[in-house]
Amino acid sequence: MCQIFTKNYTKMSNKTKRFILPEEEIPRYWYNIQADMVNKPLPPIHPATKQPLKAEDLFPIFPEECCRQEMNQTDQWIEIPEEVRDMYKYYRSTPLVRAYGLEKALGTPAHIYFKNESVSPMGSHKLNSALPQAYYAKQEGTTNITTETGAGQWGAALSYAARLFGLEAAVYQVKISYEQKPYRRSIMQTFGAQVTPSPSMSTRAGKDILTRDPFHQGSLGTAISEAIELAMMTPNCKYTLGSVLNHVGLHQTIIGLEAEKQMAMAGEYPDMVIGCFGGGSNFSGIAFPFMRHTILEGKQTRYIAAEPDSCPKLTRGKFEYDFGDESGLTPLLPMYTLGHNFRPANIHAGGLRYHGAGVIISQLLKDKMMEAVDIPQLETFQAGTLFARAEGIIPAPESSHAIAATIREAKKCIETGEEKVILFNLSGHGLIDMAAYDQYIAGNLQNYRVTDDDLNKSLADADALNK
Ligand SMILES: *Cc1c(COP(=O)(O)O)cnc(C)c1O
C-alpha cells in the first residue's frame, strides 16, 4: 500500500507564517522506517533463554496490533484506523510555523521552522500514540490499561485516550514528579485515571525497590516495572508505553508526514531536522518521514537529536543489550544505554530522564544516519526563554533542548552566512512547568553533567548481561 502525495503544493507567499493542511490532506498512513532501513534493528531477546522474541511473545503485555507493528520490518505504510483518524482531526494538522521572531532575535540568515505539537489538547505530541494504543486495546477486548509516566505528559494523554475509548487507566508516576508536578497528577485524575507514585508498595517490584532503597525517588525504570507487573497480574489488562518502542515512533510519524507537506507549501526542504530526545518518539516522528528520502533518494539532510547532558545515552552511552526497566521485567533490547540502573539527576525536563534509546534510533545512530548533541540544563532554559519572548509560546523544558540545538546551528549560519533551512519539533508547551521557569528566573537551576565514573558504574550491570 502506498502513501499518496496528492498535490504539488503551490508555494504560498514569502511572508506566510503558519501552514495548516486541509482535513483531507491529513495522512492516512503512518510511515514504518524499519521496512526501508538498510541494517535492520537487532531483535529483542528473552533475558533467560537469550532467544530472539517474536511478536506473539509480547502479546500478554501489549495490545496485539502494537506487537505486530513493533516487529514489522516489511510494510512501509501502515494504515491509521478510521476511529483514530477521526480523533486526530480534533487537533491535526498541527501548524508548521516559520519562526521569523526567533530568526530576528538571533540575527541569523537561517530559515527556522517549527512543527507545533503543543496545540494538542494535552499540550504535547504524546496523544498521537495514546489514541491508537487505547483504540487497539479496546478493539481486542481489553478493559484496563496501565502505564508509567515521568513528568506526566504521557500519563495525561493516555488517561484521556482511555476515557475516550471506555477503558480504565492505572498510571504509575515517577515519585519525584508526582510530588513536584501535582497539576499533571490532577489532570490524569480529572480524566478518571488512578495515579500511584512509583516506587510504591502496591507491586512486588515496587516493594523490592523500596526495600533496597527506602528513599528511592523513582525513575521511568521503576514505574515501568510496576506497570508491567500490574498488567501481567490483572486479567484483561494491557500495558502501554509512551516512548522508546518502535510502534510508538511509528504512530508519531504523523508529525513528519504532515511537516513534509507543509514544508512543500512553504516551498522549502529542511537541511536539518531537530528533535529533543527522551526515548525517541517525537524525534522519530519528525525525522523518519524525511529520512525516508535520505535512504531511498540520497537526500542530504542532517538529523540531530538533542538530549540533556545529565542523561546522555546517545552521546556517551554504550550500544549493547539492556533492560528497558529497573527490575529487568522487559525483554533485552539492543540500544544505546546508560545502564538500566542509571539514576538521572532531577532536571526539569522529566520526559528526557530515561536511560536508553529506542532500538531503531540506536541502529540509525550506529550507522551514522543521524547525530546527537547533549545540552546542559541552563542552556535549555536560556533557549526556551528566548523562544518564548520571540514566538509567544512557552516551550516544555524537554522541547527547549531542540530549541537550544536549533539556536546552536542558527548561530553557525551567522558565521558562514548560509541560509540553511532548519526544522525542529516543538514537542509540547511548558504551561504546567512554570515552577521550573520560576527556579530558572530566581537563579536556582544548575547543570548536572554526568561523570565518566558514574557512567562506568551504571553500565556495569548492563555489561554483565552481554557476557
Ligand atoms: C515525553 C516528552 C518528550 C520525550 O519523549 P520522546 O519519546 O523522546 O519524544 C519530549 N517532549 C515532550 C513535551 C514530552 O512530553
Side-chain angles (χ1 to χ4, degrees):
M1 190 52 79
C2 169
Q3 175 89 354
I4 302 147
F5 292 97
T6 38
K7 279 194 202 157
N8 282 324
Y9 293 93
T10 28
K11 183 175 184 304
M12 293 166 85
S13 126
N14 281 336
K15 280 291 168 196
T16 307
K17 205 173 179 321
R18 195 165 169 273
F19 303 88
I20 302 273
L21 295 173
E23 205 171 277
E24 67 275 12
E25 289 286 320
I26 299 173
R28 293 174 42 231
Y29 296 84
W30 293 302
Y31 171 56
N32 177 21
I33 196 170
Q34 293 196 78
D36 288 334
M37 284 169 74
V38 181
N39 297 324
K40 308 290 183 204
L42 299 173
I45 58 179
H46 192 286
T49 64
K50 298 273 158 92
Q51 291 302 308
L53 291 185
K54 294 192 284 295
E56 300 85 88
D57 297 320
L58 300 172
F59 284 179
I61 301 178
F62 299 100
E64 294 181 9
E65 182 55 26
C66 295
C67 304
R68 283 188 283 270
Q69 292 174 355
E70 187 66 21
M71 301 295 197
N72 187 329
Q73 299 193 332
T74 49
D75 300 314
Q76 276 183 318
W77 301 104
I78 293 178
E79 189 163 13
I80 306 174
E82 199 182 331
E83 290 82 348
V84 173
R85 261 191 290 138
D86 266 358
M87 294 314 303
Y88 277 171
K89 284 177 188 164
Y90 279 102
Y91 64 100
R92 311 207 68 87
S93 67
T94 62
L96 176 81
V97 184
R98 172 85 184 260
Y100 285 112
L102 181 61
E103 289 172 20
K104 191 162 162 228
L106 294 168
T108 177
H111 295 190
I112 304 175
Y113 292 84
F114 64 92
K115 180 74 167 150
N116 187 1
E117 288 297 307
S118 82
V119 302
S120 106
M122 292 303 113
S124 83
H125 69 288
K126 294 286 194 326
L127 195 56
N128 300 334
S129 185
L131 289 169
Q133 292 194 51
Y135 167 78
Y136 290 129
K138 181 68 182 180
Q139 279 299 97
E140 293 167 18
T142 301
T143 54
N144 294 57
I145 46 180
T146 167
T147 196
E148 78 298 319
T149 193
Q153 290 107 324
W154 169 247
L158 191 81
S159 302
Y160 170 55
R163 185 58 36 197
L164 276 177
F165 292 108
L167 298 160
E168 293 300 322
V171 182
Y172 287 94
Q173 183 172 14
V174 175
K175 190 183 279 169
I176 181 90
S177 321
Y178 183 94
E179 285 159 6
Q180 281 181 352
K181 310 201 174 203
Y183 290 139
R184 286 253 169 61
R185 165 172 47 76
S186 347
I187 292 172
M188 294 184 264
Q189 290 168 335
T190 299
F191 289 118
Q194 186 198 322
V195 188
T196 311
S198 172
S200 76
M201 296 298 279
S202 72
T203 61
R204 180 77 258 156
K207 282 179 198 156
D208 287 347
I209 292 164
L210 285 171
T211 307
R212 284 199 302 274
D213 177 0
F215 300 107
H216 200 303
Q217 300 203 300
S219 66
L220 283 171
T222 67
I224 294 174
S225 298
E226 293 203 85
I228 294 184
E229 182 182 321
L230 184 70
M232 293 198 303
M233 305 306 262
T234 316
N236 275 323
C237 180
K238 288 285 173 85
Y239 167 69
T240 63
L241 188 62
S243 183
V244 185
L245 293 175
N246 302 342
H247 65 270
V248 186
L250 171 77
H251 303 154
Q252 295 296 351
T253 59
I254 185 95
I255 302 173
L257 291 166
E258 284 180 1
E260 199 186 337
K261 295 183 177 196
Q262 290 163 309
M263 289 297 297
M265 289 164 92
E268 303 222 70
Y269 193 89
D271 296 303
M272 286 169 244
V273 179
I274 298 176
C276 67
F277 198 95
S281 76
N282 92 90
F283 176 79
S284 304
I286 189 89
F288 289 175
F290 291 97
M291 205 180 280
R292 170 171 171 260
H293 298 289
T294 301
I295 300 173
L296 301 180
E297 299 142 34
K299 263 240 198 271
Q300 296 290 312
T301 307
R302 289 172 62 204
Y303 306 94
I304 306 169
E307 64 182 6
D309 72 349
S310 55
C311 194
K313 59 239 163 200
L314 296 176
T315 49
R316 293 167 68 203
K318 190 163 167 187
F319 183 87
E320 63 184 347
Y321 274 98
D322 195 10
F323 288 116
D325 68 323
E326 174 129 355
S327 300
L329 294 178
T330 68
L332 288 171
L333 301 169
M335 60 183 184
Y336 280 94
T337 180
L338 299 169
H340 58 276
N341 296 324
F342 181 75
R343 302 250 185 107
N346 290 327
I347 55 163
H348 285 278
L352 308 185
R353 296 174 71 241
Y354 183 68
H355 68 272
V359 304
I360 294 178
I361 293 286
S362 294
Q363 188 63 46
L364 292 170
L365 182 67
K366 193 158 173 273
D367 291 343
K368 302 199 162 50
M369 290 292 297
M370 55 174 280
E371 311 160 37
V373 287
D374 59 337
I375 303 188
Q377 173 158 266
L378 287 175
E379 184 180 340
T380 67
F381 274 88
Q382 244 158 25
T385 304
L386 180 68
F387 179 81
R389 291 176 185 182
E391 297 291 329
I393 303 170
I394 296 187
E398 289 87 355
S399 314
S400 293
H401 289 70
I403 299 171
T406 299
I407 291 174
R408 284 187 186 182
E409 293 297 332
K411 282 186 174 163
K412 286 183 203 159
C413 292
I414 301 174
E415 285 155 33
T416 61
E418 286 174 299
E419 290 187 16
K420 296 266 189 209
V421 178
I422 306 176
L423 167 64
F424 77 86
N425 191 41
L426 184 74
S427 53
H429 67 65
L431 293 177
I432 308 172
D433 300 284
M434 293 319 291
Y437 280 86
D438 267 353
Q439 288 185 22
Y440 172 66
I441 292 162
N444 291 337
L445 286 192
Q446 60 181 96
N447 292 330
Y448 299 92
R449 194 174 165 79
V450 186
T451 66
D452 288 336
D453 257 11
D454 284 343
L455 281 188
N456 292 337
K457 262 183 226 143
S458 73
L459 274 167
D461 283 352
D463 287 348
L465 294 167
N466 288 272
K467 292 261 156 63

